[in-house]
Amino acid sequence: MRYRTPLVLLLPLLLVLAPIAALPAHAANPIITSVYTADPAPLVVGNTMYIYAGRDEAPAGTQNFVMREWRVLSSTDAANWTDSGPRASIATFGWAGADAWASEVEPRNGRYYWYTSVNGNGAGWMNIGVAVGDSPLGPFTDAKGGPLISDSTANSSGLNIDPTVFVDDDGQAYLYWGGYWSPRMVRLAANMIDTVGAVQTPVGLSNYWEAPFMFKRNGLYYMIYAANDTNGCVTSSSYACQRYATATNPMGPWTHRGVVLGQVSSTTNHAGVAQFNGQWYMVYHNANAPGGGNFRRSVAVDRMTFNADGTIQQVVQTSTGPGPTVTNHALTASRSTSYVSAWESLAAVNDGFTPANSADRSHPVYGNWPEQGTQWVQYDWTTPVTLRQATAYWFDDNQGIDLPASCQVQYWTGSAWANVPGGTACGVAANTANTVTFTPVSTTRLRLSFTSRAGFSTGLLEFGALS
Ligand code: FUB
């Protein structure tokens, strides 16, 4: 995985970065096979995970990187991914000429700062540049007009690549970067485009080679990074694994904790970590796509698991991917109803309780006695959620409340209520979460409408709204 110094500086590409029609979603690993993608860095914004990745354009047989643009991939379930195309390129930086290597996006104050490894036109080789945009998909423009870090930066790395930027809870931002076994760190100013203080050499990142990625969990700082030692990491130092270290201070010192991702099928190993829909994920690249190789890499996603003591289990690399996350958006919805009995509780329907059976009174319940006929329970969200399923666990007190005669799940189109498209039958069975599966909708409101049996009112233990 030794890098060759480029002999020619490529002409800037005049890429059109206006919104591009998203390509069809693709499931399983690698997550995109229409183009080769590498050096993934995840970012979660709202209900979407974005992955910022370079594009490997090396023709088959070429033994060097050919990389000219950075793309954005996105998903709302970590299983089905959309390629939104190139959103920055070498041409974004007027002072750059080649090598769109690893990058990462960090948000701050509603803006998105895209830190990139890129070859400048001037003296030296790789630099860290920074572009900025007002949305995760840009458009992005050069934020600084020159490198943030270059070979002329005092105490810079042996190879100024692979930026990872982390903004702590107190607002202080940190930049880590570096290849060729020489990690570096520096504080960033609040404007995110200037450094503050001297560049430092972090302590404790054992066997560091390149590709750092920093995140925080439960007050502990984590750094994952590529290492290429044969002491439990890789079978040959041409390859790399991902080791990780933790620290109680964002500047370190770091304590090495072990290998979190083993050797992959490409020589380089570059990864990032994100928490999304309650799960932790590692995004990384490998050479597993058809026609893939060391310079034709592809991004993959798998689950990552923490132990109770904060250590991380080694990620299992799969070809199937993590499978879709299922989020019960009911838990974050505000609720309303056509009627609730004064002694019952509408809050019962989205408290996340798992009933033992339809007569389970061990928890609050919703009931609308003495109302009969068609009634409803509704969820509202302040921002749209993507829903694919709804569940109804009916309450039956064997007195005035019985299972309903029928039900219907409806969503708000933005101007009217409509039955969920392609929905399966709305079930009225006892002692189960009746599931309605439908064509996904993005909406701010979901309603469960139900009609009582003659002479009875209706009750509900849980109403789920699932992604
Ligand atoms: O993609 C070019 C370089 O390969 C990256 O900057 C490194 O992290 C390695 O993945």
Side-chain angles (χ1 to χ4, degrees):
M1 80 174 138
R2 305 293 179 260
Y3 304 128
R4 283 170 40 187
T5 304
L7 301 175
V8 277
L9 299 180
L10 299 172
L11 287 174
L13 291 180
L14 296 175
L15 288 172
V16 179
L17 297 180
I20 293 169
L23 296 173
H26 179 85
N29 284 328
I31 61 173
I32 297 287
T33 54
S34 50
V35 293
Y36 296 108
T37 51
D39 304 325
L43 175 68
V44 173
V45 180
N47 67 347
T48 303
M49 178 169 14
Y50 296 92
I51 293 179
Y52 297 85
R55 178 184 174 194
D56 272 341
E57 297 182 66
T62 299
Q63 295 303 309
N64 201 2
F65 294 120
V66 180
M67 304 181 77
R68 291 177 279 226
E69 67 187 33
W70 295 278
R71 303 173 82 91
V72 187
L73 318 177
S74 63
S75 174
T76 55
D77 65 2
N80 296 284
W81 292 88
T82 297
D83 178 3
S84 293
R87 296 288 162 162
S89 75
I90 293 165
T92 303
F93 303 99
W95 46 270
D99 297 338
W101 286 12
S103 71
E104 184 182 311
V105 170
E106 184 70 13
R108 181 158 197 170
N109 297 333
R111 307 204 83 193
Y112 296 83
Y113 294 87
W114 199 340
Y115 298 87
T116 63
S117 316
V118 68
N119 194 343
N121 276 321
W125 185 14
M126 296 301 287
N127 307 264
I128 307 295
V130 53
V132 67
D134 291 328
S135 88
L137 290 176
F140 291 92
T141 55
D142 188 357
K144 196 171 170 68
L148 175 61
I149 301 290
S150 72
D151 285 345
S152 57
T153 302
N155 189 36
S156 71
S157 170
L159 185 59
N160 291 303
I161 60 170
D162 297 359
T164 182
V165 171
F166 174 77
V167 180
D168 209 350
D169 303 333
D170 62 3
Q172 178 62 58
Y174 302 87
L175 167 65
Y176 281 76
W177 79 100
Y180 287 165
W181 303 281
S182 51
R184 294 291 184 267
M185 66 179 171
V186 70
R187 288 188 175 89
L188 290 181
N191 67 9
M192 300 293 273
I193 64 169
D194 289 316
T195 61
V196 176
V199 170
Q200 300 181 40
T201 302
V203 172
L205 301 178
S206 305
N207 298 108
Y208 179 96
W209 160 244
E210 62 181 11
F213 184 92
M214 184 173 175
F215 65 100
K216 187 178 183 181
R217 177 181 178 269
N218 293 345
L220 193 62
Y221 302 90
Y222 289 79
M223 188 76 75
I224 65 168
Y225 55 91
N228 63 351
D229 61 273
T230 51
N231 185 23
C233 174
V234 287
T235 54
S236 149
S237 61
S238 296
Y239 286 84
C241 71
Q242 288 284 328
R243 292 188 175 278
Y244 80 105
T246 60
T248 54
N249 186 298
M251 301 287 278
W254 297 90
T255 302
H256 173 252
R257 298 287 180 187
V259 173
V260 66
L261 179 71
Q263 184 171 322
V264 296
S265 54
S266 59
T267 48
T268 57
N269 191 329
H270 194 115
V273 168
Q275 185 180 25
F276 182 57
N277 288 342
Q279 304 280 337
W280 285 89
Y281 295 94
M282 177 168 283
V283 303
Y284 58 99
H285 68 217
N286 59 33
N288 290 359
N294 295 331
F295 304 99
R296 291 154 68 88
R297 301 162 292 180
S298 295
V299 171
V301 178
D302 275 307
R303 284 185 201 272
M304 197 178 87
T305 305
F306 286 87
N307 298 311
D309 63 0
T311 56
I312 313 175
Q313 296 177 16
Q314 191 164 322
V315 170
V316 176
Q317 300 175 41
T318 74
S319 59
T320 51
T325 55
V326 177
T327 301
N328 186 1
H329 292 284
L331 302 179
T332 57
S334 56
R335 61 210 159 232
S336 56
T337 182
S338 54
Y339 186 80
V340 58
S341 311
W343 54 91
E344 307 291 22
S345 166
L346 177 60
V349 300
N350 64 341
D351 62 1
F353 179 61
T354 303
N357 53 59
S358 282
D360 189 346
R361 263 218 179 263
S362 66
H363 223 244
V365 304
Y366 161 85
N368 60 22
W369 193 89
E371 298 299 314
Q372 297 181 13
T374 299
Q375 304 286 327
W376 50 262
V377 167
Q378 179 179 321
Y379 289 145
D380 283 61
W381 296 271
T382 51
T383 55
V385 293
T386 300
L387 302 174
R388 293 177 171 80
Q389 285 184 344
T391 58
Y393 205 120
W394 303 107
F395 175 52
D396 178 0
D397 69 355
N398 295 313
Q399 298 179 64
I401 290 180
D402 202 348
L403 303 171
S406 63
C407 58
Q408 179 64 52
V409 179
Q410 298 177 306
Y411 77 109
W412 184 248
T413 65
S415 56
W417 288 103
N419 293 344
V420 288
T424 55
C426 189
V428 294
N431 309 322
T432 188
N434 296 273
T435 301
V436 178
T437 302
F438 47 88
T439 304
V441 294
S442 178
T443 186
T444 55
R445 297 178 194 168
L446 193 75
R447 181 178 277 196
L448 179 60
S449 179
F450 39 86
T451 302
S452 65
R453 295 186 184 187
F456 290 95
S457 300
T458 308
L460 199 54
L461 295 176
E462 283 293 323
F463 172 29
L466 309 177
S467 63

PDB file of all heavy atoms in Angstrom, residues 3 38-39 65 67 101-102 117 161-162 210-211 268-270 285 297, ligand 1:
ATOM      1  N   TYR A   3       2.304   4.528  -1.415  1.00  0.00           N
ATOM      2  CA  TYR A   3       1.722   5.445  -2.387  1.00  0.00           C
ATOM      3  C   TYR A   3       2.793   5.971  -3.315  1.00  0.00           C
ATOM      4  O   TYR A   3       3.890   6.280  -2.889  1.00  0.00           O
ATOM      5  CB  TYR A   3       1.059   6.628  -1.672  1.00  0.00           C
ATOM      6  CG  TYR A   3       0.034   6.197  -0.689  1.00  0.00           C
ATOM      7  CD1 TYR A   3       0.066   6.651   0.614  1.00  0.00           C
ATOM      8  CD2 TYR A   3      -0.947   5.299  -1.051  1.00  0.00           C
ATOM      9  CE1 TYR A   3      -0.872   6.269   1.527  1.00  0.00           C
ATOM     10  CE2 TYR A   3      -1.887   4.893  -0.133  1.00  0.00           C
ATOM     11  CZ  TYR A   3      -1.845   5.373   1.158  1.00  0.00           C
ATOM     12  OH  TYR A   3      -2.772   4.970   2.059  1.00  0.00           O
ATOM     13  N   ALA A  38     -14.464   4.749  -1.931  1.00  0.00           N
ATOM     14  CA  ALA A  38     -13.427   4.450  -0.938  1.00  0.00           C
ATOM     15  C   ALA A  38     -13.391   5.513   0.146  1.00  0.00           C
ATOM     16  O   ALA A  38     -13.969   6.594   0.015  1.00  0.00           O
ATOM     17  CB  ALA A  38     -12.065   4.381  -1.631  1.00  0.00           C
ATOM     18  N   ASP A  39     -12.692   5.173   1.239  1.00  0.00           N
ATOM     19  CA  ASP A  39     -12.424   6.121   2.337  1.00  0.00           C
ATOM     20  C   ASP A  39     -13.714   6.701   2.917  1.00  0.00           C
ATOM     21  O   ASP A  39     -13.894   7.922   2.989  1.00  0.00           O
ATOM     22  CB  ASP A  39     -11.524   7.261   1.848  1.00  0.00           C
ATOM     23  CG  ASP A  39     -10.225   6.760   1.249  1.00  0.00           C
ATOM     24  OD1 ASP A  39      -9.696   5.747   1.741  1.00  0.00           O
ATOM     25  OD2 ASP A  39      -9.734   7.397   0.294  1.00  0.00           O
ATOM     26  N   PHE A  65      -3.692   5.081  -7.376  1.00  0.00           N
ATOM     27  CA  PHE A  65      -5.007   5.684  -7.195  1.00  0.00           C
ATOM     28  C   PHE A  65      -5.308   6.648  -8.340  1.00  0.00           C
ATOM     29  O   PHE A  65      -4.443   7.442  -8.738  1.00  0.00           O
ATOM     30  CB  PHE A  65      -5.064   6.472  -5.880  1.00  0.00           C
ATOM     31  CG  PHE A  65      -4.941   5.609  -4.653  1.00  0.00           C
ATOM     32  CD1 PHE A  65      -3.903   5.800  -3.761  1.00  0.00           C
ATOM     33  CD2 PHE A  65      -5.876   4.618  -4.392  1.00  0.00           C
ATOM     34  CE1 PHE A  65      -3.795   5.013  -2.627  1.00  0.00           C
ATOM     35  CE2 PHE A  65      -5.764   3.819  -3.259  1.00  0.00           C
ATOM     36  CZ  PHE A  65      -4.724   4.014  -2.376  1.00  0.00           C
ATOM     37  N   MET A  67      -8.232   9.265  -8.422  1.00  0.00           N
ATOM     38  CA  MET A  67      -9.342   9.758  -7.600  1.00  0.00           C
ATOM     39  C   MET A  67      -9.498  11.255  -7.861  1.00  0.00           C
ATOM     40  O   MET A  67      -8.568  12.025  -7.633  1.00  0.00           O
ATOM     41  CB  MET A  67      -9.084   9.489  -6.109  1.00  0.00           C
ATOM     42  CG  MET A  67      -8.823   8.012  -5.819  1.00  0.00           C
ATOM     43  SD  MET A  67      -8.552   7.650  -4.066  1.00  0.00           S
ATOM     44  CE  MET A  67     -10.217   7.708  -3.433  1.00  0.00           C
ATOM     45  N   TRP A 101      -8.305  12.274  -2.135  1.00  0.00           N
ATOM     46  CA  TRP A 101      -8.194  11.160  -1.190  1.00  0.00           C
ATOM     47  C   TRP A 101      -9.172  11.346  -0.023  1.00  0.00           C
ATOM     48  O   TRP A 101     -10.114  12.111  -0.103  1.00  0.00           O
ATOM     49  CB  TRP A 101      -6.743  11.036  -0.721  1.00  0.00           C
ATOM     50  CG  TRP A 101      -5.833  10.451  -1.785  1.00  0.00           C
ATOM     51  CD1 TRP A 101      -6.117  10.266  -3.117  1.00  0.00           C
ATOM     52  CD2 TRP A 101      -4.489   9.986  -1.596  1.00  0.00           C
ATOM     53  NE1 TRP A 101      -5.048   9.714  -3.755  1.00  0.00           N
ATOM     54  CE2 TRP A 101      -4.032   9.526  -2.861  1.00  0.00           C
ATOM     55  CE3 TRP A 101      -3.642   9.908  -0.504  1.00  0.00           C
ATOM     56  CZ2 TRP A 101      -2.754   8.999  -3.030  1.00  0.00           C
ATOM     57  CZ3 TRP A 101      -2.370   9.385  -0.676  1.00  0.00           C
ATOM     58  CH2 TRP A 101      -1.932   8.930  -1.924  1.00  0.00           C
ATOM     59  N   ALA A 102      -8.898  10.713   1.085  1.00  0.00           N
ATOM     60  CA  ALA A 102      -9.902  10.566   2.145  1.00  0.00           C
ATOM     61  C   ALA A 102     -10.402  11.907   2.678  1.00  0.00           C
ATOM     62  O   ALA A 102      -9.647  12.874   2.803  1.00  0.00           O
ATOM     63  CB  ALA A 102      -9.324   9.740   3.277  1.00  0.00           C
ATOM     64  N   SER A 117      -8.442  15.386   1.746  1.00  0.00           N
ATOM     65  CA  SER A 117      -7.033  15.211   1.401  1.00  0.00           C
ATOM     66  C   SER A 117      -6.933  15.492  -0.093  1.00  0.00           C
ATOM     67  O   SER A 117      -7.650  14.863  -0.885  1.00  0.00           O
ATOM     68  CB  SER A 117      -6.580  13.773   1.634  1.00  0.00           C
ATOM     69  OG  SER A 117      -7.050  13.254   2.841  1.00  0.00           O
ATOM     70  N   ILE A 161      -2.732  13.701   4.995  1.00  0.00           N
ATOM     71  CA  ILE A 161      -3.970  13.123   4.456  1.00  0.00           C
ATOM     72  C   ILE A 161      -4.879  12.723   5.613  1.00  0.00           C
ATOM     73  O   ILE A 161      -4.520  12.782   6.781  1.00  0.00           O
ATOM     74  CB  ILE A 161      -3.690  11.870   3.595  1.00  0.00           C
ATOM     75  CG1 ILE A 161      -2.985  10.780   4.439  1.00  0.00           C
ATOM     76  CG2 ILE A 161      -2.862  12.229   2.369  1.00  0.00           C
ATOM     77  CD1 ILE A 161      -2.882   9.421   3.727  1.00  0.00           C
ATOM     78  N   ASP A 162      -6.081  12.311   5.254  1.00  0.00           N
ATOM     79  CA  ASP A 162      -7.007  11.616   6.145  1.00  0.00           C
ATOM     80  C   ASP A 162      -7.454  12.440   7.354  1.00  0.00           C
ATOM     81  O   ASP A 162      -7.273  12.050   8.517  1.00  0.00           O
ATOM     82  CB  ASP A 162      -6.401  10.285   6.609  1.00  0.00           C
ATOM     83  CG  ASP A 162      -6.166   9.335   5.457  1.00  0.00           C
ATOM     84  OD1 ASP A 162      -6.485   9.695   4.308  1.00  0.00           O
ATOM     85  OD2 ASP A 162      -5.641   8.228   5.693  1.00  0.00           O
ATOM     86  N   GLU A 210      -2.365   5.322   9.393  1.00  0.00           N
ATOM     87  CA  GLU A 210      -3.097   6.408   8.724  1.00  0.00           C
ATOM     88  C   GLU A 210      -4.568   6.285   9.094  1.00  0.00           C
ATOM     89  O   GLU A 210      -4.947   5.453   9.924  1.00  0.00           O
ATOM     90  CB  GLU A 210      -2.929   6.311   7.207  1.00  0.00           C
ATOM     91  CG  GLU A 210      -3.489   5.025   6.612  1.00  0.00           C
ATOM     92  CD  GLU A 210      -3.296   4.917   5.101  1.00  0.00           C
ATOM     93  OE1 GLU A 210      -2.551   5.727   4.512  1.00  0.00           O
ATOM     94  OE2 GLU A 210      -3.892   4.005   4.506  1.00  0.00           O
ATOM     95  N   ALA A 211      -5.424   7.120   8.469  1.00  0.00           N
ATOM     96  CA  ALA A 211      -6.883   6.979   8.495  1.00  0.00           C
ATOM     97  C   ALA A 211      -7.513   7.063   9.893  1.00  0.00           C
ATOM     98  O   ALA A 211      -8.243   6.156  10.302  1.00  0.00           O
ATOM     99  CB  ALA A 211      -7.296   5.676   7.817  1.00  0.00           C
ATOM    100  N   THR A 268      -5.466  -1.098   1.555  1.00  0.00           N
ATOM    101  CA  THR A 268      -5.792  -0.014   2.492  1.00  0.00           C
ATOM    102  C   THR A 268      -7.025  -0.389   3.306  1.00  0.00           C
ATOM    103  O   THR A 268      -7.870  -1.170   2.870  1.00  0.00           O
ATOM    104  CB  THR A 268      -6.072   1.301   1.743  1.00  0.00           C
ATOM    105  OG1 THR A 268      -7.135   1.079   0.816  1.00  0.00           O
ATOM    106  CG2 THR A 268      -4.824   1.803   1.032  1.00  0.00           C
ATOM    107  N   ASN A 269      -7.106   0.203   4.482  1.00  0.00           N
ATOM    108  CA  ASN A 269      -8.229  -0.048   5.381  1.00  0.00           C
ATOM    109  C   ASN A 269      -8.610   1.304   5.986  1.00  0.00           C
ATOM    110  O   ASN A 269      -7.826   1.906   6.734  1.00  0.00           O
ATOM    111  CB  ASN A 269      -7.809  -1.034   6.467  1.00  0.00           C
ATOM    112  CG  ASN A 269      -8.979  -1.552   7.280  1.00  0.00           C
ATOM    113  OD1 ASN A 269      -9.965  -0.842   7.475  1.00  0.00           O
ATOM    114  ND2 ASN A 269      -8.857  -2.771   7.783  1.00  0.00           N
ATOM    115  N   HIS A 270      -9.769   1.791   5.617  1.00  0.00           N
ATOM    116  CA  HIS A 270     -10.190   3.139   6.048  1.00  0.00           C
ATOM    117  C   HIS A 270     -11.624   3.034   6.539  1.00  0.00           C
ATOM    118  O   HIS A 270     -12.484   2.514   5.825  1.00  0.00           O
ATOM    119  CB  HIS A 270     -10.084   4.111   4.870  1.00  0.00           C
ATOM    120  CG  HIS A 270     -10.163   5.540   5.267  1.00  0.00           C
ATOM    121  ND1 HIS A 270      -9.116   6.432   5.112  1.00  0.00           N
ATOM    122  CD2 HIS A 270     -11.158   6.245   5.845  1.00  0.00           C
ATOM    123  CE1 HIS A 270      -9.469   7.611   5.560  1.00  0.00           C
ATOM    124  NE2 HIS A 270     -10.707   7.533   6.020  1.00  0.00           N
ATOM    125  N   HIS A 285     -14.044   0.221   3.701  1.00  0.00           N
ATOM    126  CA  HIS A 285     -14.017  -0.191   2.295  1.00  0.00           C
ATOM    127  C   HIS A 285     -13.268  -1.516   2.141  1.00  0.00           C
ATOM    128  O   HIS A 285     -12.494  -1.920   3.014  1.00  0.00           O
ATOM    129  CB  HIS A 285     -13.456   0.921   1.385  1.00  0.00           C
ATOM    130  CG  HIS A 285     -12.003   1.235   1.569  1.00  0.00           C
ATOM    131  ND1 HIS A 285     -11.494   2.520   1.478  1.00  0.00           N
ATOM    132  CD2 HIS A 285     -10.917   0.456   1.824  1.00  0.00           C
ATOM    133  CE1 HIS A 285     -10.185   2.496   1.656  1.00  0.00           C
ATOM    134  NE2 HIS A 285      -9.814   1.252   1.869  1.00  0.00           N
ATOM    135  N   ARG A 297     -11.896   0.201  -4.963  1.00  0.00           N
ATOM    136  CA  ARG A 297     -12.457  -0.232  -3.687  1.00  0.00           C
ATOM    137  C   ARG A 297     -13.953   0.107  -3.596  1.00  0.00           C
ATOM    138  O   ARG A 297     -14.463   0.886  -4.385  1.00  0.00           O
ATOM    139  CB  ARG A 297     -11.683   0.446  -2.540  1.00  0.00           C
ATOM    140  CG  ARG A 297     -10.199   0.116  -2.576  1.00  0.00           C
ATOM    141  CD  ARG A 297      -9.363   1.083  -1.762  1.00  0.00           C
ATOM    142  NE  ARG A 297      -9.349   2.418  -2.372  1.00  0.00           N
ATOM    143  CZ  ARG A 297      -8.693   3.476  -1.888  1.00  0.00           C
ATOM    144  NH1 ARG A 297      -8.014   3.354  -0.757  1.00  0.00           N
ATOM    145  NH2 ARG A 297      -8.731   4.636  -2.500  1.00  0.00           N
TER     146      ARG A 297
HETATM  147  O1  FUB B   1      -7.760   6.618  -0.918  1.00  0.00           O
HETATM  148  C1  FUB B   1      -6.465   7.137  -0.826  1.00  0.00           C
HETATM  149  C2  FUB B   1      -5.834   6.794   0.487  1.00  0.00           C
HETATM  150  O2  FUB B   1      -5.895   5.412   0.697  1.00  0.00           O
HETATM  151  C3  FUB B   1      -6.530   7.354   1.714  1.00  0.00           C
HETATM  152  O3  FUB B   1      -6.301   8.704   1.941  1.00  0.00           O
HETATM  153  C4  FUB B   1      -5.976   6.433   2.752  1.00  0.00           C
HETATM  154  O4  FUB B   1      -6.656   6.484   3.973  1.00  0.00           O
HETATM  155  C5  FUB B   1      -6.107   5.110   2.062  1.00  0.00           C
HETATM  156  O5  FUB B   1      -7.391   4.573   2.200  1.00  0.00           O
END
